[in-house]
Structures are given as structure tokens and as C-alpha cells.
Amino acid sequence: MKVDYIIVGLGLAGLAFAEELIKNNKTFIVFEDSSQHSSSVASGTYNPVILKRFTAVWNGHRQLQLALPFYEKIFKKIDKNLDVKFTARKVFNSIGDENNWFTALDKPTLSNYMQPEIIKEKIKGVVGEFGFGELKGIGKIDTKELIKRYRSYLSSNNKLKKEQFEYNKIDFLEGSVKYKEILADRVVFCEGYGLKQNPFFNQLPLRGTKGETITIHAPQLKIDFLLKSSIFVIPLGDDFYKVGATFNREDKTSKITKEGRQELIDKLQKTITVPYIITEQNAGVRPTVKDRRPLVGIHSKYSQLCILNGLGTRGIMIAPTVALNLFNHLEKGEALDKEIDIKRFD
């Protein structure tokens, strides 16, 4: 079997790169063993504003302009629209938050999303003594369902192998690799935190941050916007809400914990005042990097091996941009963005 590319991993990074290959009529096969869960348990929100500091996400506005049409094309392919538009309301904890909000409004990019009017009225069931700032132009993509349906799409087109990739089975040839019965020009590793087991790239500073979320049923919490305090509360419909997320840099497992659950409960009690029941809990390890930039590039010794990883907490926005940059780098000689190129760690 001869293909142009082998992709290892089918999170948001692998999905985005597969789409670039399809768009450019390249042949490929994806290896996916479902060992990583960060994309499936991610909130899936796209928001180019960091609400903790009222600053712009790195290249967020440009990423969003590419990402939304990108996912629209995929929705047509999988015959399901998974994008839900809504606004977000940031809980102000002091008068200082309100002042910082108005200061941020003077920045051109942020003014595209931040509403100038402060919401002063009380919201039933929500703690908000100092009011709220509202964001527009954001939304949520159901990443779990997206990957599930895209996996089925690839499988039906004989482009998916549901098995673990064995690094020691790679044979390096002149300008290509042989992996078992497959001959490929390149291998692109999109393994998320699974990168730590990859002997070719595990020296890169991917540290991983575990995140846990809960889903609650709260019939009295009638909000149709994303609520952001010390945690986020995202409406899912039918009075269900996703609540998250924790940040744990010590635990590198995808197992749910009592500690993570309790942390979210404690923060939720300071955010809403209505009763609820917890219906689900999830956990995954985000592929995070110390400088908060993705890991993209070519192996220093084996030019047939590439990496597309480290998308962190905003993979839904970043994935299409970095996948396009890597493809154009490999196929058209376009330079990689220096901020994502793994050469920055040489």
C-alpha cells in the first residue's frame, strides 16, 4: 500500500491535517487507538478573548476567520451541524474588572467581540454583584461528536486503522518510510499527550495539563449564554450545562477524580445559587507547552517525520491554521510561523 502521508492520532490536530490532505488530493491513512481524550472532553468553545485578563488570544481573530468556514465544510461532509452560536457573560468580581473591560475595548481586535454596555441587572440563579461584561461572535462546537463522526467518515473511506502505532516498525528509506505494509512519503504525529511515548519527539517540552469537567442538570438555571467566572458554565440544551475546568499539572491520567469533582462543586457554589444534580464527569490531558504555542515542524534528523501537536486549551480555533501552515511548509516550501516551529527549542 502506497500513500503520501501517515497520520498518527485523530484529535483536532489530526482531523485538521487530514482535511488539508483531502482538499489537496493527497492520499493518507490515519492510525488511531483512542488512547487520548483531550479533544473529546474539550469544551469546544471558540472565543478570541482571554476573559481572565481581557486580552486577545494569540492570533485569535485570524484563526477564527479561518476556522469557522473550515468546520462548516466538515459539517456538510458528516451531514451534521455541530456549531452552536451564543454570547458569553463574564462575571465581574470588582469595580476594577469593569474598568479593565473598558480599557480593553480601546483595542481594535477586542472591540469586535466585547460589548461596550455593562450588564447591571441581576440574573436569576447567578452570582454577579458587580455586573457582567458580554462577548459576541462566539460559540461552541461539539468536539466529541465531531471526532466520532469524522472517524466514521474516514473508516467508510478506508482511511482509518484502529490500532496502536508501533514506532519501532518504521523503516527509513531514501525520501520515504516503510511502516509494516505501508509505504509513505511522510508521517505526521498528532498524538496529543501521547507524544510523551514517541521516541522521535518526546524531548520536546510538552508538559500536559489534566482537565476535568462535569455536566449538570439545573432546571432553574435558565441561561442561554456561556457564563464565565472562576469556571465556565456552558448551556447544552434541555437544562443541561457543562461546567469546567480544572487544571492539574501533576496527574497525567485521563481518569476522573473525587478531587476534581469537588473542586468544580466548590467553585460552582460561588457561581450559581440554584439546585442541580451532576449527571456526568469527564477528564483528559491537554497537550500544553510552556510558551503556550503549538509544536509544529520536521524532525531534525529524519525529514520524513513531522509533528503537529500542543494545541492546548484552544485547539478548536488553532487546529485549522497550524495544519494549513504545516501542509504549505511541506508541499509548497512556505516558511513555518516561527512562534510554532519546533526549532525554537533547539
Side-chain angles (χ1 to χ4, degrees):
M1 180 181 183
K2 172 68 173 71
V3 294
D4 296 315
Y5 287 86
I6 292 173
I7 299 175
V8 182
L10 191 62
L12 292 172
L15 180 153
F17 195 74
E19 274 298 291
E20 284 301 322
L21 297 181
I22 292 172
K23 185 173 69 176
N24 290 277
N25 298 313
K26 297 292 183 180
T27 56
F28 67 93
I29 190 78
V30 177
F31 283 80
E32 166 67 2
D33 64 0
S34 300
S35 62
Q36 302 301 310
H37 306 284
S38 62
S39 292
S40 294
V41 303
S43 67
T45 55
Y46 49 87
N47 169 20
V49 182
I50 300 173
L51 287 173
K52 185 176 182 179
R53 297 184 293 273
F54 303 146
T55 56
V57 172
W58 169 71
N59 286 344
H61 184 63
R62 181 162 58 87
Q63 291 168 4
L64 201 53
Q65 288 179 317
L66 178 65
L68 294 182
F70 172 88
Y71 290 113
E72 285 296 328
K73 292 179 181 178
I74 295 181
F75 298 154
K76 293 178 181 178
K77 188 173 297 184
I78 62 176
D79 197 29
K80 180 71 173 179
N81 182 8
L82 300 172
D83 184 4
V84 178
K85 313 287 187 185
F86 46 64
T87 59
R89 294 188 182 181
K90 164 64 177 173
V91 178
F92 289 161
N93 296 311
S94 67
I95 295 297
D97 281 348
E98 182 175 328
N99 294 335
N100 292 335
W101 182 270
F102 285 120
T103 299
L105 272 167
D106 291 334
K107 301 174 182 178
T109 299
L110 296 183
S111 63
N112 291 321
Y113 305 96
M114 300 173 69
Q115 298 281 30
E117 300 84 10
I118 301 300
I119 298 174
K120 294 291 189 179
E121 61 264 26
K122 301 294 184 182
I123 300 172
K124 183 179 179 182
V126 176
V127 177
E129 180 182 351
F130 295 94
F132 307 84
E134 187 170 65
L135 290 178
K136 59 182 179 179
I138 68 171
K140 175 185 181 301
I141 291 174
D142 187 338
T143 53
K144 183 176 181 179
E145 186 67 16
L146 172 66
I147 292 171
K148 175 185 174 183
R149 286 176 174 262
Y150 200 80
R151 185 183 292 120
S152 297
Y153 164 76
L154 291 179
S155 182
S156 65
N157 286 277
N158 299 313
K159 295 182 180 297
L160 180 68
K161 287 187 176 290
K162 298 178 181 179
E163 60 186 72
Q164 185 177 16
F165 188 86
E166 300 176 67
Y167 307 105
N168 61 353
K169 295 295 177 66
I170 298 177
D171 291 325
F172 292 95
L173 308 176
E174 186 68 31
S176 63
V177 296
K178 187 173 186 298
Y179 178 75
K180 298 182 179 180
E181 79 286 358
I182 303 173
L183 188 66
D185 294 335
R186 290 188 173 94
V187 182
V188 179
F189 293 104
C190 309
E191 305 159 287
Y193 191 67
L195 178 73
K196 303 303 287 187
Q197 309 303 319
N198 186 322
F200 301 105
F201 290 104
N202 61 8
Q203 81 284 357
L204 292 170
L206 185 79
R207 58 186 183 184
T209 305
K210 181 175 182 175
E212 296 189 60
T213 63
I214 56 175
T215 301
I216 65 170
H217 186 234
Q220 296 180 38
L221 185 65
K222 299 296 184 182
I223 62 173
D224 58 359
F225 51 85
L226 183 155
L227 179 66
K228 181 67 174 71
S229 183
S230 60
I231 51 174
F232 62 72
V233 181
I234 303 174
L236 302 177
D238 298 324
D239 298 322
F240 287 91
Y241 301 86
K242 188 168 189 174
V243 179
T246 63
F247 289 81
N248 187 331
R249 293 189 174 90
E250 305 302 322
D251 184 357
K252 306 299 184 181
T253 72
S254 295
K255 297 179 180 179
I256 61 174
T257 65
K258 292 180 180 178
E259 294 78 10
R261 181 187 182 101
Q262 190 59 49
E263 178 183 339
L264 293 172
I265 290 173
D266 292 343
K267 290 181 177 179
L268 190 57
Q269 287 178 340
K270 298 176 182 178
T271 305
I272 64 174
T273 59
V274 295
Y276 64 88
I277 59 171
I278 298 174
T279 60
E280 188 177 0
Q281 183 177 355
N282 290 292
V285 181
R286 310 174 186 91
T288 55
V289 185
K290 62 181 182 180
D291 64 359
R292 302 188 181 189
R293 299 291 183 267
L295 299 171
V296 184
I298 302 173
H299 193 276
S300 58
K301 181 179 179 180
Y302 302 109
S303 60
Q304 305 98 315
L305 305 184
C306 312
I307 182 173
L308 184 63
N309 206 320
L311 305 189
T313 60
R314 300 181 186 274
I316 203 77
M317 289 175 55
I318 298 174
T321 294
V322 294
L324 176 61
N325 194 187
L326 178 60
F327 179 85
N328 287 342
H329 178 63
L330 298 175
E331 296 291 338
K332 302 177 183 179
E334 176 184 295
L336 280 177
D337 185 328
K338 291 182 179 180
E339 290 193 75
I340 68 175
D341 194 337
I342 56 174
K343 289 181 180 179
R344 69 189 188 275
F345 296 114
D346 286 350

